[in-house]
């Protein structure tokens, strides 16, 4: 097979700098082959090596007493949830592939994150996603949106994993570069944790899954460069094609194989495909690995070494097997009707050696390739636009004169409106573990005994057909896990540090409103080109905010993903979007709380200050109200006091555990009025059947001196609306105030309208009317 000569132009085409190429020459002591050049290109890409962000990522809190597998150790983090049970979870991006081929880009993003879970030995039981698009008035955005949602639905529904939560934002900054961040969570016992390491000299290495093709070629490198019209067209081949039914078979086969005790190490072939799985498993174990490409199943004729090593064809796994147990492994693969091949062996050389056609085509030190990519300290500089942001004031912006008209416009805003058009395409009930489905502040799932992978003892007993002497595991009490994902990219753009804090705080507030205590987090850092000092400043500052928030709420980072170069030509960079997913535990099922009002006559309480009067913008900076009604994305966003937030969350959780809170809903985009409206109509009792329960709210004595638009639509942080039985209202107010949380009764549940009494007069609208715009807005835009 003819390979091109290594020239400076070819090196540059592989996104390697002259200095990086010189380092490769030092490592090898010779010129690399074409295949080796490709291997270094993908392994030293930002997507695989984090060469531009590693110093920043080290500032995250990553330690905790419940962490069993921490950030950077393996494919996903794992946290103890008690009784010998653990959860594995992670979030990752598939942004560039989704921009080029939205359906397959999003579908394979789901497939990739699911593999990250079961390669740890965990059974995947739930998924969520965080999506960003341009405005739906643009036909191209509608095409991308439809394709992405369709791809997520296709893969998740076919695999059989419930997609139970998520978020979708719409903003012009994402017009040329949508964001598709996929999260998955799985469950396992502590002794079932599997490592992606090539242990055991002489152990055979197996490939399992469909044959390798030319799809997904060098996808990791594609994800680590600016997206342009030219690169998008050239890299359509870098978008993988997924088969969720095949992945289901691979998952079940791998979990069964782990129960046999045959496995010494396991790794999925994700970014960088066979390259990443071989060199990383060897590097983690401090061993070497040697593989033979002629033995790798191939679905295209005459594939080159370069193509086989860099292909990112989906649903493939690399498994290191204890020597002598090959027959058991083959039997499991054959049972599940899966293609497999024994392609290599673990060595003691510390090198990754690849043979093809009887020749050595790759011979590279595994650890230097996997762990010693160059690391850069990028220049950072505060963005020039920040001067105008800090100077912005509300002078000249008239206060609202039509609060109900403004409320209707906000509820119809596609970012705030119901996402039923999205989640209606997802199966969120499969596996029968979903407790709180899409539509409340956080999703809640139940971990049942049958959610867990089969144990070695159970497998052995079932295999032998003899129960003599077999002691089944002790009955497992159901556990309840809540999770949510959050980030207001507009906030982060206007103040990266405060925006980062706000993302974590809102996620943890959503958990508190659901009755959950945070136990860990995973983040997806979506930014533009890191070589731009202003963009790198956004990244550093937002990570500082995320890190402070995670420390404050006891939610250490267990892993995640960095996605840079999210920009497209004249459209520029996306708003900085450090998405964070936080997972929490609910101790008892009776503590599970939802956001909608429950009974007529209940008292409505506001926990937290109605308006932050110390903020010159009174919570309107960066607000959905300013953007929706005045076309402005400007002003410093509302401040986040982490101490105040901690106190609020602790107080709310205490009240929930006492059994006095009937509903809890956090105030975020759209402010207090949107929160109240959603509490009136967001319960869906059956498909297309909604429960409307109005409210009479008196804000006339709240926040004297505040603007009316700030009182109703300002986004002052650390506020929650709760409903309690009228008889409990006084006690709840006293307890909250004793804890240092501002609290006031603002209304009563009941009626068919939302009535707002304000210092400027009384305003009202039928709940059904408000609901119509909120529920149908996205569907109407997509019609």
């Amino acid at each position: 097979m003819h390979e091109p000569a290594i020239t400076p132009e070819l090196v540059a085409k592989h996104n390697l700098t002259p200095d990086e190429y010189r380092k490769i020459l030092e490592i090898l002591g010779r010129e690399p082959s074409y295949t080796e050049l490709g291997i270094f290109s993908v392994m030293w890409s930002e997507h695989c090596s984090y060469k531009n962000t590693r110093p920043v990522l080290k500032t995250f809190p990553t330690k905790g007493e419940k962490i069993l597998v921490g950030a950077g150790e393996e494919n996903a983090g794992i946290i103890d949830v008690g009784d010998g049970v653990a959860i594995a979870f992670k979030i990752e991006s598939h942004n560039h592939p989704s921009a080029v081929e939205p359906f397959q880009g999003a579908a394979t993003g789901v497939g990739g994150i699911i593999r990250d879970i079961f390669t740890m030995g965990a059974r995947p039981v739930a998924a969520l996603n965080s999506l960003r698009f341009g405005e739906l008035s643009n036909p191209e955005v509608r095409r991308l949106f439809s394709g992405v949602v369709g791809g997520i639905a296709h893969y998740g529904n076919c695999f059989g994993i419930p997609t139970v939560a998520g978020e979708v934002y719409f903003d012009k900054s994402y017009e040329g570069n949508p964001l598709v961040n996929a999260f998955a969570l799985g469950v396992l016992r502590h002794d079932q944790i599997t490592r992606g390491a090539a242990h055991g000299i002489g152990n055979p290495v197996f490939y399992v899954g469909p044959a390798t093709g030319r799809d997904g070629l060098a996808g990791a490198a594609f994800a680590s460069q600016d997206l342009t019209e030219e690169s998008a067209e050239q890299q359509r081949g870098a978008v993988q094609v997924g088969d969720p039914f095949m992945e289901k078979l691979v998952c079940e086969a791998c979990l069964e194989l782990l129960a046999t005790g045959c496995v010494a190490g396991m790794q999925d072939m994700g970014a960088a495909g066979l390259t990443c799985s071989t060199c990383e498993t060897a590097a983690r174990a401090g061993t070497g690995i040697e593989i033979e490409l002629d033995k790798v199943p191939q679905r295209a004729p005459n594939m080159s070494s370069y193509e086989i090593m860099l292909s990112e064809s989906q649903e493939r796994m690399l498994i290191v097997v204890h020597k002598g147990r090959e027959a058991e492994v083959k039997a499991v693969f054959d049972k599940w009707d899966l293609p497999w091949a024994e392609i290599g062996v673990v060595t003691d050389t510390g090198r990754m050696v690849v043979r093809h056609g009887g020749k050595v085509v790759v011979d590279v030190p595994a650890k230097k390739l996997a762990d010693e990519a160059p690391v850069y300290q990028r220049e950072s500089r505060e963005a020039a636009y920040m001067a105008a942001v800090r100077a912005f004031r509300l002078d000249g912006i008239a206060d609202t004169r039509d609060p109900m008209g403004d409320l209707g416009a906000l509820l119809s805003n596609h970012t705030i409106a119901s996402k039923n058009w999205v989640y209606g395409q997802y199966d969120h009930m499969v596996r029968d573990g979903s407790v709180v489905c899409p539509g409340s502040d956080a999703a809640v799932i139940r971990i049942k005994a049958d959610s867990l992978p089969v144990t070695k003892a159970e497998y052995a007993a079932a295999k032998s057909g003899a129960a003599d002497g077999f002691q089944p595991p002790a009955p497992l009490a159901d556990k309840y896990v809540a999770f949510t994902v959050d980030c207001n990219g507009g906030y982060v753009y206007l103040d990266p540090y405060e925006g980062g804090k706000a993302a974590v705080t809102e996620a943890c507030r959503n958990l508190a409103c659901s009755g959950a205590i945070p136990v860990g987090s995973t983040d997806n850092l979506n930014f533009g080109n890191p070589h731009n000092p202003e963009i790198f400043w956004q990244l550093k500052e937002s990570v500082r905010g995320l890190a402070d928030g995670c420390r404050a709420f006891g939610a250490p980072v267990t892993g995640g993903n960095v996605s840079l170069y999210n920009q497209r030509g004249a459209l520029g960079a996306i708003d900085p979007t450090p998405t964070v997913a936080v997972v929490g535990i609910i101790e008892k099922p009776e503590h599970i709380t939802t956001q909608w009002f429950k009974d007529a006559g209940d008292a409505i309480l506001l926990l937290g200050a109605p308006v932050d009067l110390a903020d010159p913008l009174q919570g309107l900076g960066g607000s959905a109200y300013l953007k929706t009604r005045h076309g402005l994305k400007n002003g410093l966003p509302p401040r986040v006091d982490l101490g105040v937030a901690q106190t609020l969350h602790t107080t709310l959780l205490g009240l929930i555990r006492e059994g006095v809170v009937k509903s809890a809903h956090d105030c975020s985009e759209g402010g207090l009025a949107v929160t109240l409206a959603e509490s009136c109509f967001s319960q869906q009792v059956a498909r297309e059947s909604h429960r409307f329960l109005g409210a009479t709210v008196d804000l006339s004595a709240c926040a004297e001196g505040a603007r009316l638009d700030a009182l109703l639509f300002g986004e002052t942080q650390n506020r929650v609306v709760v409903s309690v039985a009228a008889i409990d209202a006084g006690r709840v107010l006293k307890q909250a105030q004793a804890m240092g949380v501002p609290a006031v009764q603002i209304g009563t549940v009941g009626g068919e309208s939302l009535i707002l009494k304000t210092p400027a007069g009384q305003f009202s609208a039928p709940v059904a009317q408000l609901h119509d715009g909120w529920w149908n807005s996205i569907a109407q835009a997509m019609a």
Side-chain angles (χ1 to χ4, degrees):
M1 297 179 186
H2 175 72
E3 292 192 344
I6 307 300
T7 63
E9 292 76 19
L10 188 64
V11 171
K13 190 176 179 181
H14 280 75
N15 268 6
L16 292 164
T17 68
D19 284 344
E20 289 170 346
Y21 183 66
R22 280 190 287 273
K23 185 171 180 177
I24 293 170
L25 294 177
E26 290 174 11
I27 289 171
L28 297 178
R30 57 176 171 78
E31 186 179 83
S33 68
Y34 178 56
T35 303
E36 288 171 335
L37 183 71
I39 283 172
F40 274 101
S41 169
V42 293
M43 290 305 298
W44 284 9
S45 67
E46 177 64 30
H47 189 83
C48 290
S49 72
Y50 301 133
K51 61 187 177 184
N52 292 300
T53 53
R54 193 171 291 185
V56 178
L57 298 179
K58 288 181 178 178
T59 65
F60 277 131
T62 57
K63 304 298 181 184
E65 61 181 25
K66 293 184 179 295
I67 292 181
L68 303 177
V69 176
E73 293 182 38
E74 291 287 347
N75 296 281
I78 298 183
I79 286 184
D80 173 29
V81 294
D83 299 326
V85 177
I87 52 175
F89 58 89
K90 190 182 182 185
I91 191 169
E92 282 205 341
S93 64
H94 232 219
N95 300 337
H96 280 26
S98 299
V100 175
E101 292 287 352
F103 184 92
Q104 289 295 350
T108 52
V110 174
I113 199 65
I114 290 173
R115 285 196 305 279
D116 280 340
I117 300 306
F118 71 74
T119 196
M120 300 298 300
R123 176 173 292 284
V125 295
L128 64 74
N129 51 74
S130 173
L131 311 176
R132 301 289 191 285
F133 298 93
E135 295 179 350
L136 289 179
S137 55
N138 183 330
E140 174 63 10
V141 170
R142 294 198 297 273
R143 184 187 73 85
L144 291 170
F145 182 39
S146 179
V148 164
V149 173
I152 292 170
H154 167 71
Y155 209 100
N157 295 353
C158 293
F159 180 87
I161 187 171
T163 303
V164 290
E167 60 169 2
V168 191
Y169 278 71
F170 299 91
D171 186 271
K172 278 186 178 293
S173 77
Y174 305 107
E175 195 162 289
N177 198 130
L179 302 184
V180 178
N181 296 173
F183 166 104
L185 180 144
V187 298
L188 73 169
R189 295 178 177 85
H190 293 191
D191 60 2
Q192 293 177 312
I193 295 173
T194 303
R195 299 286 182 169
H199 289 298
I201 308 305
N203 278 340
V205 176
F206 277 76
Y207 168 118
V208 61
T212 296
R214 292 189 172 98
D215 56 322
L217 196 61
F222 170 48
S224 303
Q225 58 183 307
D226 285 355
L227 184 63
T228 65
E229 297 303 324
E230 182 182 8
S231 73
E233 192 56 41
Q234 290 174 347
Q235 293 293 340
R236 290 194 186 278
V239 180
Q240 310 95 321
V241 177
D243 181 348
F245 298 109
M246 176 64 77
E247 178 132 319
K248 178 63 173 175
L249 296 177
V250 172
C251 175
E252 295 301 332
C254 286
L255 293 179
E256 180 174 337
L257 192 62
L258 292 171
T260 68
C262 297
V263 176
M266 185 164 68
Q267 172 87 347
D268 79 302
M269 297 187 205
L274 194 54
T275 289
C276 187
S277 58
T278 48
C279 72
E280 284 191 352
T281 53
R284 288 190 188 117
T287 59
I289 194 165
E290 186 169 319
I291 62 171
E292 174 58 68
L293 296 188
D294 289 326
K295 296 181 179 179
V296 172
Q298 298 163 45
R299 69 168 181 263
N302 302 318
M303 288 186 69
S304 67
S305 309
Y306 183 100
E307 290 170 330
I308 298 170
M309 290 302 295
L310 272 62
S311 168
E312 294 182 8
S313 295
Q314 293 290 284
E315 292 89 38
R316 302 176 301 157
M317 303 289 289
L318 191 81
I319 301 175
V320 180
V321 175
H322 291 298
K323 189 172 179 61
R325 305 191 67 177
E326 295 89 340
E328 295 173 72
V329 173
K330 296 172 185 177
V332 170
F333 292 153
D334 288 343
K335 170 190 169 182
W336 289 98
D337 197 24
L338 284 171
W340 60 266
E342 187 176 337
I343 65 169
V345 65
V346 178
T347 68
D348 61 0
T349 64
R351 304 184 74 82
M352 170 185 170
V353 177
V354 180
R355 299 180 184 275
H356 194 199
K359 298 179 181 178
V360 173
V361 294
V362 175
D363 187 353
V364 178
K367 195 162 187 64
K368 288 186 179 294
L369 176 62
D371 298 337
E372 298 183 23
V375 176
Y376 299 106
Q377 298 280 351
R378 293 294 176 202
E379 178 188 354
S380 68
R381 180 177 65 246
E382 181 177 288
Y385 65 78
M386 285 301 299
V389 170
R390 291 194 181 95
F392 178 80
R393 292 295 182 268
L394 298 173
D395 302 339
I397 296 177
D399 204 339
T400 178
R401 294 182 179 178
D402 179 15
M404 283 306 173
D406 292 338
L407 176 56
L410 282 167
L411 291 170
S412 299
N413 178 309
H414 295 146
T415 292
I416 293 175
S418 169
K419 305 307 182 299
N420 69 86
W421 185 89
V422 176
Y423 66 72
Q425 299 181 52
Y426 303 155
D427 187 336
H428 43 265
M429 295 299 293
V430 65
R431 297 196 58 81
D432 195 31
S434 304
V435 179
V436 178
C437 294
S440 196
D441 281 327
V444 180
I445 62 168
R446 176 169 55 111
I447 299 176
K448 308 170 292 179
D450 65 0
S451 301
L452 293 160
V454 65
T455 66
K456 292 178 182 178
E458 289 171 323
Y459 183 79
K463 191 78 173 173
S464 66
D468 293 348
F470 171 62
Q471 292 291 329
L476 175 70
D478 289 345
K479 295 183 178 298
Y480 296 88
V481 176
F483 45 98
T484 186
V485 60
D486 283 290
C487 180
N488 184 323
Y491 280 5
V492 184
Y493 172 79
L494 297 167
D495 189 329
Y497 174 67
E498 288 293 335
K501 280 200 300 182
V504 178
T505 303
E506 183 178 351
C508 292
R509 192 164 64 242
N510 285 335
L511 292 184
C513 287
S514 304
I517 300 173
V519 292
S521 61
T522 175
D523 59 69
N524 207 139
L525 306 179
N526 305 277
F527 290 83
N529 192 319
H531 296 270
N532 181 333
E534 294 190 354
I535 286 176
F536 201 72
W537 172 79
Q538 292 175 338
L539 191 154
K540 284 180 66 176
E541 283 296 288
S542 63
V543 166
R544 185 166 69 91
L546 288 179
D548 283 353
C550 289
R551 271 188 287 269
F553 300 113
V557 176
T558 62
N561 174 235
V562 177
S563 175
L564 304 182
Y565 305 95
N566 289 293
Q567 53 191 69
R568 194 164 189 164
L571 294 171
I574 62 165
D575 279 355
T577 310
T579 303
V580 60
V582 184
V583 179
I585 300 298
I586 300 176
E587 292 184 353
K588 297 180 180 179
E590 55 266 32
H591 297 162
I592 297 170
T593 309
T594 50
Q595 71 182 37
W596 41 83
F597 294 145
K598 301 302 186 294
D599 298 298
D602 286 345
I604 303 169
L605 313 181
L606 174 64
L607 305 183
V611 179
D612 180 4
L613 294 175
D615 175 3
L617 303 181
Q618 298 184 14
L620 288 172
S623 66
Y625 171 76
L626 275 190
K627 182 179 176 184
T628 302
R629 296 311 258 177
H630 297 282
L632 295 171
K633 182 163 66 176
N634 206 347
L636 289 173
R639 312 289 88 185
V640 177
D641 186 316
L642 293 173
V644 170
Q646 281 180 292
T647 302
L648 172 65
H649 299 182
T650 301
T651 302
L652 177 57
L653 284 167
L655 293 169
I656 287 173
R657 289 175 179 175
E658 285 186 31
V660 294
V661 174
K662 291 189 175 184
S663 73
H665 189 15
D666 87 306
C667 293
S668 54
E669 283 91 358
L672 181 57
V674 165
T675 301
L676 290 164
E678 289 177 339
S679 300
C680 289
F681 57 52
S682 56
Q683 182 181 14
Q684 190 177 5
V685 294
R687 186 174 179 84
E688 299 298 328
S689 296
H690 314 279
R691 182 169 184 251
F692 300 150
L693 197 53
T696 299
V697 177
D698 189 349
L699 302 174
S700 56
C702 289
E704 185 178 345
R707 292 172 56 115
L708 181 57
D709 51 10
L711 177 62
L712 296 178
F713 310 118
E715 296 173 8
T716 293
Q717 294 290 292
N718 301 328
R719 297 179 299 163
V720 173
V721 169
V722 301
S723 64
V724 303
I727 196 172
D728 293 323
R731 176 163 64 95
V732 170
L733 290 172
K734 286 181 181 178
Q735 285 183 240
Q737 291 161 356
M739 291 291 292
V741 175
V744 61
Q745 180 170 345
I746 59 172
T748 304
V749 177
E752 297 181 353
S753 295
L754 174 61
I755 301 169
L756 300 177
K757 299 177 181 178
T758 76
Q762 179 172 305
F763 308 91
S764 68
V767 170
Q769 176 184 313
L770 295 172
H771 175 269
D772 181 65
W774 176 80
W775 183 259
N776 295 310
S777 177
I778 291 178
Q780 289 168 351
M782 295 299 292

